[in-house]
Amino acid sequence: MFRTMSVCVSTFARQSERVRWCLLNSSLAAALLVLSSVAFAGDSCEPTFISDDRFEVSFSDNLAEFRVDSLVLEHPHFIFDFELGSLEVCGDATNQPLEILGNEVFDGVNPELAARIDDLEFNFLQQLNPFGQTDLFDNCLVLSEGECDSPSSCVTDLDDRLMQAPAQIRRTGVCVEALDGLFEGTWPDGESSTPNLPESGEAGCVVSEPVDTIFSLSTDDFDLDLGLKDVIIAGRFDQEEPTALVDGVMVGFLNQELADDTEIVLETDLGDVTLNLGHDILPSGDSGDPLPECGLRDHCDGPDARVVHKGACGWWFVFNIHAERIR
């Protein structure tokens, strides 16, 4: 019954630029987070060291580069809510597959992220350049997507950076505090969101300044751009002369207006169904008393996970991160 599925995605950005993809495959497959190689706001720092240091066998004193080996979507959950013919489909596909009549049509965001990272298909590199661990040391945090022969052997081109932001080392206190408004209850899949809150610990932590950038949530069939506001990345060093960034977190805000302008059209043997990112995937609950900026809407299951940030309604996206040092 579900032998073929056609997926079309239309995204309308604030600049009214329309990007459209339409692909065919045997299933919707699974989600993978990647960074979109586009312009970003907040590039007020420049990496200092590049070529020579990256070929040293030992870790460089001038820069530190880490490969993300764990990336987990904590908030919000992806809860699909749509009708397919006479079928009413409702399911949380964040940590487990979405099935229709016994057919797996979406593998789950986090399981596929883990598989792609392990298979070296997704190589998210985070560089601190210049690098230092003294208190209030200022560095430049650069994100890029690399080519890896092994988990510890990767090549990337800093001229094709994906995100860039000033960052600072903290040797006391915390690098990230709890966000207001995150849903703290139990999601439909029985899980709860537990964002990492990196502290300075014994070796310090690093936190970037907020920037605006674009991330892409991709499957084998489509790319879904997420224009996130006030993105920050933070993590704690595991030791002096660190070998890993632990308790890491990436946070960014997606406006409801932008989410509501993004549609995914599924064509199946049972007919076509149009999924709206804001209405049919991101949780907006049964909003009997919604925030004034958000408006009344409902969802088949789950809470209303919307908040207001800088006067706009939307969702906080939170990913937990662990990264091993490769340079």
Side-chain angles (χ1 to χ4, degrees):
M1 182 175 296
F2 293 90
R3 290 189 300 275
T4 62
M5 179 176 289
S6 173
V7 181
C8 298
V9 180
S10 298
T11 302
F12 300 88
R14 287 186 178 275
Q15 296 83 0
S16 300
E17 178 182 0
R18 178 175 178 177
V19 183
R20 183 173 178 85
W21 300 270
C22 187
L23 299 168
L24 282 169
N25 210 314
S26 58
S27 68
L28 186 58
L32 167 67
L33 180 85
V34 296
L35 284 166
S36 179
S37 182
V38 297
F40 49 88
D43 53 339
S44 58
C45 67
E46 283 294 334
T48 304
F49 302 98
I50 43 178
S51 301
D52 294 342
D53 304 307
R54 305 176 63 176
F55 295 97
E56 294 182 3
V57 176
S58 60
F59 291 148
S60 171
D61 293 333
N62 295 328
L63 61 83
E65 191 165 44
F66 304 81
R67 177 183 179 268
V68 172
D69 58 7
S70 177
L71 185 67
V72 178
L73 176 63
E74 290 288 333
H75 189 283
H77 276 213
F78 275 39
I79 304 170
F80 286 80
D81 178 9
F82 62 92
E83 294 181 357
L84 188 61
S86 61
L87 299 175
E88 294 185 359
V89 180
C90 181
D92 187 333
T94 308
N95 296 305
Q96 57 195 23
L98 177 67
E99 295 185 353
I100 301 177
L101 298 178
N103 293 270
E104 186 175 299
V105 297
F106 196 85
D107 292 346
V109 176
N110 289 327
E112 182 65 10
L113 276 173
R116 296 290 183 89
I117 291 172
D118 290 345
D119 292 341
L120 302 180
E121 295 176 1
F122 173 49
N123 302 297
F124 179 23
L125 306 181
Q126 177 177 326
Q127 186 177 109
L128 299 176
N129 185 350
F131 174 66
Q133 280 181 269
T134 57
D135 191 34
L136 303 182
F137 182 86
D138 292 323
N139 56 47
C140 194
L141 186 149
V142 181
L143 300 181
S144 58
E145 192 174 1
E147 295 289 337
C148 299
D149 296 326
S150 72
S152 60
S153 178
C154 303
V155 176
T156 186
D157 184 357
L158 285 183
D159 291 333
D160 191 25
R161 65 201 68 166
L162 303 171
M163 176 181 161
Q164 182 175 304
Q168 190 173 76
I169 304 299
R170 308 276 174 80
R171 296 293 302 214
T172 60
V174 300
C175 275
V176 173
E177 297 182 347
L179 277 172
D180 291 334
L182 291 187
F183 174 61
E184 298 178 351
T186 301
W187 295 100
D189 64 358
E191 301 289 339
S192 58
S193 295
T194 54
N196 288 335
L197 301 174
E199 301 179 353
S200 58
E202 296 182 356
C205 57
V206 61
V207 58
S208 66
E209 293 184 7
V211 298
D212 299 341
T213 190
I214 297 179
F215 295 86
S216 294
L217 191 62
S218 300
T219 73
D220 287 342
D221 304 296
F222 65 82
D223 297 323
L224 178 60
D225 287 346
L226 298 173
L228 299 183
K229 299 287 187 180
D230 293 331
V231 176
I232 65 167
I233 293 180
R236 176 174 61 85
F237 299 119
D238 63 336
Q239 61 184 38
E240 301 290 349
E241 297 297 324
T243 62
L245 273 174
V246 299
D247 297 334
V249 67
M250 178 169 62
V251 176
F253 182 78
L254 177 66
N255 285 355
Q256 178 175 280
E257 179 182 354
L258 186 58
D260 288 351
D261 283 340
T262 303
E263 293 186 339
I264 302 173
V265 180
L266 306 180
E267 300 173 1
T268 77
D269 291 346
L270 294 182
D272 298 350
V273 57
T274 298
L275 301 181
N276 181 277
L277 179 63
H279 287 272
D280 304 327
I281 298 177
L282 298 181
S284 52
D286 184 2
S287 306
D289 187 20
L291 296 167
E293 297 87 346
C294 294
L296 181 66
R297 59 177 61 179
D298 58 70
H299 211 72
C300 68
D301 200 359
D304 188 345
R306 296 175 295 170
V307 297
V308 174
H309 175 62
K310 294 183 176 179
C313 181
W315 295 263
W316 280 113
F317 273 72
V318 181
F319 295 86
N320 283 347
I321 300 174
H322 182 280
E324 291 289 329
R325 189 173 181 184
I326 62 174
R327 291 191 179 87

Short mmCIF file of all heavy atoms in Angstrom, two decimals, residues 47-77:
data_model
loop_
_atom_site.label_atom_id
_atom_site.label_comp_id
_atom_site.label_asym_id
_atom_site.label_seq_id
_atom_site.Cartn_x
_atom_site.Cartn_y
_atom_site.Cartn_z
N PRO A 47 38.83 33.58 12.89
CA PRO A 47 39.82 32.61 13.35
C PRO A 47 41.22 33.07 12.99
O PRO A 47 41.44 33.66 11.94
CB PRO A 47 39.42 31.33 12.61
CG PRO A 47 38.66 31.79 11.41
CD PRO A 47 37.97 33.05 11.83
N THR A 48 42.16 32.79 13.89
CA THR A 48 43.52 33.30 13.73
C THR A 48 44.45 32.30 13.05
O THR A 48 45.23 32.66 12.18
CB THR A 48 44.10 33.70 15.10
OG1 THR A 48 43.22 34.64 15.72
CG2 THR A 48 45.49 34.31 14.95
N PHE A 49 44.37 31.05 13.45
CA PHE A 49 45.30 30.04 12.98
C PHE A 49 44.58 29.07 12.04
O PHE A 49 43.46 28.65 12.31
CB PHE A 49 45.90 29.27 14.15
CG PHE A 49 46.61 30.15 15.13
CD1 PHE A 49 45.97 30.57 16.29
CD2 PHE A 49 47.90 30.59 14.89
CE1 PHE A 49 46.61 31.40 17.20
CE2 PHE A 49 48.56 31.42 15.79
CZ PHE A 49 47.91 31.82 16.96
N ILE A 50 45.23 28.72 10.94
CA ILE A 50 44.60 27.77 10.02
C ILE A 50 45.57 26.66 9.63
O ILE A 50 45.73 25.70 10.35
CB ILE A 50 44.00 28.47 8.79
CG1 ILE A 50 44.93 29.55 8.23
CG2 ILE A 50 42.67 29.09 9.13
CD1 ILE A 50 44.40 30.23 6.99
N SER A 51 46.27 26.78 8.54
CA SER A 51 46.91 25.65 7.87
C SER A 51 47.88 24.84 8.73
O SER A 51 47.66 23.68 9.01
CB SER A 51 47.64 26.13 6.61
OG SER A 51 46.74 26.74 5.74
N ASP A 52 49.00 25.45 9.17
CA ASP A 52 50.10 24.68 9.73
C ASP A 52 49.69 23.86 10.94
O ASP A 52 50.06 22.69 11.06
CB ASP A 52 51.26 25.61 10.12
CG ASP A 52 51.89 26.26 8.89
OD1 ASP A 52 51.66 25.73 7.79
OD2 ASP A 52 52.56 27.29 9.05
N ASP A 53 48.92 24.47 11.85
CA ASP A 53 48.60 23.80 13.10
C ASP A 53 47.77 22.54 12.89
O ASP A 53 47.80 21.62 13.70
CB ASP A 53 47.83 24.75 14.03
CG ASP A 53 48.61 26.03 14.28
OD1 ASP A 53 49.77 25.94 14.69
OD2 ASP A 53 48.03 27.08 14.02
N ARG A 54 47.03 22.48 11.82
CA ARG A 54 46.07 21.39 11.64
C ARG A 54 46.74 20.09 11.22
O ARG A 54 46.10 19.06 11.18
CB ARG A 54 45.03 21.82 10.61
CG ARG A 54 44.37 23.11 10.99
CD ARG A 54 43.42 23.58 9.96
NE ARG A 54 42.34 22.63 9.83
CZ ARG A 54 41.30 22.82 9.03
NH1 ARG A 54 41.21 23.92 8.35
NH2 ARG A 54 40.37 21.92 8.93
N PHE A 55 48.03 20.14 10.88
CA PHE A 55 48.71 18.93 10.45
C PHE A 55 49.66 18.40 11.52
O PHE A 55 50.38 17.44 11.29
CB PHE A 55 49.47 19.19 9.15
CG PHE A 55 48.55 19.49 8.01
CD1 PHE A 55 48.29 20.80 7.64
CD2 PHE A 55 47.92 18.48 7.32
CE1 PHE A 55 47.42 21.10 6.60
CE2 PHE A 55 47.04 18.76 6.28
CZ PHE A 55 46.80 20.06 5.91
N GLU A 56 49.66 19.02 12.71
CA GLU A 56 50.49 18.52 13.78
C GLU A 56 49.88 17.25 14.35
O GLU A 56 48.66 17.10 14.44
CB GLU A 56 50.63 19.58 14.88
CG GLU A 56 51.39 20.82 14.44
CD GLU A 56 51.54 21.83 15.56
OE1 GLU A 56 51.09 21.52 16.68
OE2 GLU A 56 52.09 22.91 15.31
N VAL A 57 50.75 16.33 14.77
CA VAL A 57 50.28 15.07 15.34
C VAL A 57 49.64 15.32 16.69
O VAL A 57 48.58 14.78 17.01
CB VAL A 57 51.45 14.07 15.47
CG1 VAL A 57 50.97 12.81 16.16
CG2 VAL A 57 52.02 13.75 14.09
N SER A 58 50.26 16.15 17.53
CA SER A 58 49.71 16.45 18.84
C SER A 58 48.72 17.60 18.74
O SER A 58 48.66 18.29 17.74
CB SER A 58 50.84 16.80 19.81
OG SER A 58 51.55 17.93 19.34
N PHE A 59 47.96 17.79 19.83
CA PHE A 59 47.01 18.89 19.85
C PHE A 59 47.75 20.22 19.82
O PHE A 59 48.79 20.39 20.43
CB PHE A 59 46.13 18.81 21.10
CG PHE A 59 45.19 17.66 21.10
CD1 PHE A 59 44.82 17.05 22.29
CD2 PHE A 59 44.67 17.16 19.92
CE1 PHE A 59 43.94 15.99 22.30
CE2 PHE A 59 43.79 16.09 19.92
CZ PHE A 59 43.42 15.51 21.12
N SER A 60 47.18 21.17 19.10
CA SER A 60 47.80 22.48 18.95
C SER A 60 47.47 23.37 20.15
O SER A 60 46.39 23.30 20.71
CB SER A 60 47.32 23.14 17.66
OG SER A 60 47.74 24.47 17.61
N ASP A 61 48.43 24.23 20.52
CA ASP A 61 48.16 25.23 21.54
C ASP A 61 47.39 26.41 20.96
O ASP A 61 46.85 27.23 21.70
CB ASP A 61 49.48 25.74 22.13
CG ASP A 61 50.21 24.68 22.93
OD1 ASP A 61 49.53 23.78 23.45
OD2 ASP A 61 51.45 24.74 23.01
N ASN A 62 47.36 26.51 19.65
CA ASN A 62 46.76 27.68 19.00
C ASN A 62 45.27 27.51 18.72
O ASN A 62 44.54 28.49 18.70
CB ASN A 62 47.47 27.97 17.68
CG ASN A 62 48.91 28.38 17.90
OD1 ASN A 62 49.24 29.00 18.89
ND2 ASN A 62 49.78 28.01 16.98
N LEU A 63 44.83 26.29 18.47
CA LEU A 63 43.43 26.06 18.19
C LEU A 63 43.02 24.69 18.72
O LEU A 63 43.86 23.84 19.01
CB LEU A 63 43.11 26.18 16.70
CG LEU A 63 43.80 25.22 15.71
CD1 LEU A 63 43.08 23.89 15.63
CD2 LEU A 63 43.87 25.87 14.33
N ALA A 64 41.74 24.51 18.87
CA ALA A 64 41.19 23.21 19.27
C ALA A 64 39.99 22.92 18.39
O ALA A 64 39.13 23.78 18.19
CB ALA A 64 40.79 23.22 20.74
N GLU A 65 39.92 21.70 17.85
CA GLU A 65 38.81 21.32 16.98
C GLU A 65 38.20 20.02 17.49
O GLU A 65 38.91 19.09 17.86
CB GLU A 65 39.28 21.15 15.54
CG GLU A 65 38.13 21.01 14.55
CD GLU A 65 38.59 21.22 13.12
OE1 GLU A 65 39.65 20.68 12.75
OE2 GLU A 65 37.88 21.92 12.38
N PHE A 66 36.88 19.99 17.51
CA PHE A 66 36.14 18.87 18.08
C PHE A 66 35.13 18.35 17.05
O PHE A 66 34.48 19.14 16.37
CB PHE A 66 35.38 19.29 19.33
CG PHE A 66 36.24 19.90 20.41
CD1 PHE A 66 36.62 21.23 20.35
CD2 PHE A 66 36.66 19.13 21.48
CE1 PHE A 66 37.40 21.79 21.35
CE2 PHE A 66 37.45 19.67 22.49
CZ PHE A 66 37.82 21.00 22.41
N ARG A 67 35.01 17.03 16.95
CA ARG A 67 33.99 16.42 16.09
C ARG A 67 32.83 15.96 16.97
O ARG A 67 33.02 15.23 17.94
CB ARG A 67 34.53 15.23 15.31
CG ARG A 67 33.45 14.54 14.46
CD ARG A 67 33.97 13.32 13.73
NE ARG A 67 32.92 12.69 12.95
CZ ARG A 67 32.13 11.71 13.40
NH1 ARG A 67 32.28 11.24 14.63
NH2 ARG A 67 31.19 11.20 12.62
N VAL A 68 31.63 16.40 16.62
CA VAL A 68 30.44 16.01 17.36
C VAL A 68 30.18 14.52 17.14
O VAL A 68 30.00 14.07 16.00
CB VAL A 68 29.22 16.83 16.93
CG1 VAL A 68 27.94 16.29 17.56
CG2 VAL A 68 29.41 18.30 17.30
N ASP A 69 30.17 13.75 18.23
CA ASP A 69 29.87 12.32 18.11
C ASP A 69 28.54 11.95 18.76
O ASP A 69 28.15 10.79 18.77
CB ASP A 69 31.01 11.46 18.69
CG ASP A 69 31.30 11.77 20.15
OD1 ASP A 69 30.55 12.56 20.77
OD2 ASP A 69 32.29 11.22 20.67
N SER A 70 27.83 12.95 19.27
CA SER A 70 26.47 12.74 19.77
C SER A 70 25.70 14.04 19.66
O SER A 70 26.15 15.09 20.13
CB SER A 70 26.50 12.28 21.24
OG SER A 70 25.18 12.15 21.74
N LEU A 71 24.54 13.98 19.00
CA LEU A 71 23.68 15.14 18.81
C LEU A 71 22.24 14.67 19.00
O LEU A 71 21.75 13.84 18.23
CB LEU A 71 23.88 15.72 17.41
CG LEU A 71 23.13 17.01 17.08
CD1 LEU A 71 23.65 18.17 17.91
CD2 LEU A 71 23.26 17.33 15.60
N VAL A 72 21.58 15.17 20.04
CA VAL A 72 20.26 14.67 20.43
C VAL A 72 19.28 15.84 20.53
O VAL A 72 19.51 16.79 21.29
CB VAL A 72 20.32 13.92 21.77
CG1 VAL A 72 18.93 13.44 22.18
CG2 VAL A 72 21.29 12.74 21.69
N LEU A 73 18.18 15.76 19.77
CA LEU A 73 17.13 16.76 19.87
C LEU A 73 16.36 16.55 21.17
O LEU A 73 15.75 15.50 21.38
CB LEU A 73 16.17 16.66 18.68
CG LEU A 73 14.96 17.60 18.70
CD1 LEU A 73 15.39 19.05 18.66
CD2 LEU A 73 14.00 17.29 17.56
N GLU A 74 16.42 17.54 22.05
CA GLU A 74 15.73 17.46 23.34
C GLU A 74 14.40 18.20 23.32
O GLU A 74 13.44 17.79 23.97
CB GLU A 74 16.62 18.03 24.44
CG GLU A 74 17.83 17.18 24.78
CD GLU A 74 17.47 15.92 25.53
OE1 GLU A 74 16.42 15.91 26.23
OE2 GLU A 74 18.22 14.94 25.42
N HIS A 75 14.34 19.30 22.58
CA HIS A 75 13.15 20.15 22.60
C HIS A 75 13.10 20.96 21.31
O HIS A 75 14.13 21.47 20.87
CB HIS A 75 13.23 21.09 23.82
CG HIS A 75 11.99 21.87 24.09
ND1 HIS A 75 11.62 22.97 23.37
CD2 HIS A 75 11.03 21.71 25.03
CE1 HIS A 75 10.50 23.46 23.85
NE2 HIS A 75 10.12 22.72 24.86
N PRO A 76 11.92 21.10 20.65
CA PRO A 76 10.67 20.41 20.96
C PRO A 76 10.67 19.01 20.33
O PRO A 76 11.57 18.68 19.56
CB PRO A 76 9.62 21.30 20.28
CG PRO A 76 10.34 21.80 19.05
CD PRO A 76 11.77 22.01 19.48
N HIS A 77 9.67 18.22 20.64
CA HIS A 77 9.49 16.95 19.95
C HIS A 77 8.75 17.16 18.65
O HIS A 77 8.00 18.13 18.49
CB HIS A 77 8.74 15.97 20.84
CG HIS A 77 9.63 15.25 21.80
ND1 HIS A 77 9.41 13.96 22.22
CD2 HIS A 77 10.78 15.63 22.42
CE1 HIS A 77 10.36 13.58 23.05
NE2 HIS A 77 11.21 14.59 23.20
#
